[in-house]
Amino acid sequence: MPNVLDAVGLITEVLTWVVLGPGLLLLAGGVVRLAGARWCSADGVAFVDGRRRGVRWFDHKHGFLEGVFAAGDGADLAAGADVPVFYDAR
């Protein structure tokens, strides 16, 4: 009987180590999802005001918001073009 218990102990220890890594990754993913960003979508409008280029949109909680492109980005958007926007609501 001790040989059977030793074998069961060894099998459970191996399974514990095999399942521990993915289990910790799933736990970390759940925490990030709960504490992470709340992404919202909106319809934005591209703008160019001479020195900068970006997108403006309306959020019922925060009012009018705008995002400015980095230099060289958004060059293919014409001013007034409709743009789908995804932003962090926090």
Side-chain angles (χ1 to χ4, degrees):
M1 191 71 162
N3 290 338
V4 173
L5 292 177
D6 290 340
V8 169
L10 180 62
I11 291 170
T12 56
E13 185 172 353
V14 168
L15 289 176
T16 299
W17 285 110
V18 167
V19 175
L20 183 65
L24 289 176
L25 287 175
L26 285 174
L27 180 66
V31 169
V32 167
R33 182 178 174 120
L34 289 175
R38 303 273 189 232
W39 293 98
C40 294
S41 64
D43 295 325
V45 176
F47 74 89
V48 177
D49 66 1
R51 58 191 168 139
R52 53 189 193 134
R53 175 183 299 270
V55 177
R56 292 185 179 124
W57 67 94
F58 182 78
D59 179 6
H60 291 287
K61 185 175 180 182
H62 300 101
F64 284 99
L65 301 169
E66 87 177 11
V68 179
F69 293 128
D73 287 345
D76 56 340
L77 291 175
D82 291 333
V83 179
V85 178
F86 298 93
Y87 62 98
D88 182 1
R90 293 185 183 186

